[in-house]
Amino acid sequence: MIHTILSRYIGFAAVGCGLIALVIYVLMISVTLAHIEAVSGHVPFDMRPLGYNPKDAASLLEALRAEGREYYLSYQLSLDTFYPAMLALTLITTFSWFGRRMPDSKLVRSGIILSVGCAFFDYFENIGIAAMIWSWPEVSSALVYAASTATIVKSALTTLAVLLSLLTGFLWARLPKADLCPQADNGDFVRTADAH
């Protein structure tokens, strides 16, 4: 019963999560991260896919001043608490939707694993940024490098997950539709050869 409900509504879940993730992303890019960059004159930590070093971190944190650091914590990191989960759910439900017609696909399984990894390292990055702000001006190099590594890994995994979802979608669209039919009991698709 639960499998049937999930199977039928997984596409709606993917679209719904995707819309929420998009709204949060646009808010971060156009409001919070834009404000942080305008106030400091530096690119925020979240927008540095190649990472940063202790000198970069110190320059940004100092330029933000107390008000900017508080804004980073209160607004940007608050929004970024929801975004990783919504992005991961969007990707997972999308891969799961493709998986209805590609049940044994390694691409689908790999995509779901990458999606979880994206969220994990995004949250690790957020914790690192918060820790740097809280410990300012005594920020350790180890903390900066840990946060920077999380940023790099998050960026790489997110890129891979999105590209893999596009590839999976392309392959899914090329599956022959003539030899697929919906299964009566749960709405899944099976090959007609297996249905007889």
Side-chain angles (χ1 to χ4, degrees), residues 3-166:
H3 180 267
T4 301
I5 294 170
L6 290 176
S7 179
R8 287 181 180 167
Y9 295 104
I10 197 79
F12 292 109
V15 172
C17 292
L19 288 174
I20 294 170
L22 179 62
V23 168
I24 296 171
Y25 182 77
V26 169
L27 278 173
M28 289 193 299
I29 292 296
S30 61
V31 180
T32 55
L33 291 171
H35 176 76
I36 289 166
E37 187 165 0
V39 166
S40 67
H42 296 275
V43 177
F45 296 117
D46 312 70
M47 303 302 292
R48 299 186 186 208
L50 300 179
Y52 37 88
N53 58 41
K55 183 179 177 181
D56 297 328
S59 297
L60 172 56
L61 292 170
E62 184 174 2
L64 281 171
R65 301 184 181 279
E67 297 83 1
R69 292 190 293 273
E70 181 60 33
Y71 182 90
Y72 213 133
L73 282 173
S74 301
Y75 295 96
Q76 169 54 27
L77 290 182
S78 293
L79 276 176
D80 210 11
T81 298
F82 298 101
Y83 180 71
M86 295 315 301
L87 177 61
L89 284 172
T90 300
L91 291 167
I92 289 168
T93 52
T94 300
F95 281 114
S96 298
W97 189 67
F98 291 142
R100 292 177 62 200
R101 286 180 58 194
M102 305 168 71
D104 297 322
S105 173
K106 290 181 181 178
L107 289 177
V108 170
R109 288 194 297 274
S110 299
I112 290 172
I113 292 168
L114 284 173
S115 302
V116 173
C118 295
F120 176 82
F121 282 99
D122 202 340
Y123 283 121
F124 191 78
E125 173 195 49
N126 291 346
I127 291 168
I129 292 169
M132 287 190 290
I133 292 172
W134 287 327
S135 63
W136 176 259
E138 304 297 328
V139 182
S140 72
S141 295
L143 175 58
V144 174
Y145 284 122
S148 176
T149 300
T151 300
I152 294 168
V153 175
K154 171 206 78 172
S155 301
L157 290 180
T158 302
T159 301
L160 286 173
V162 170
L163 290 175
L164 192 58
S165 71
L166 295 174

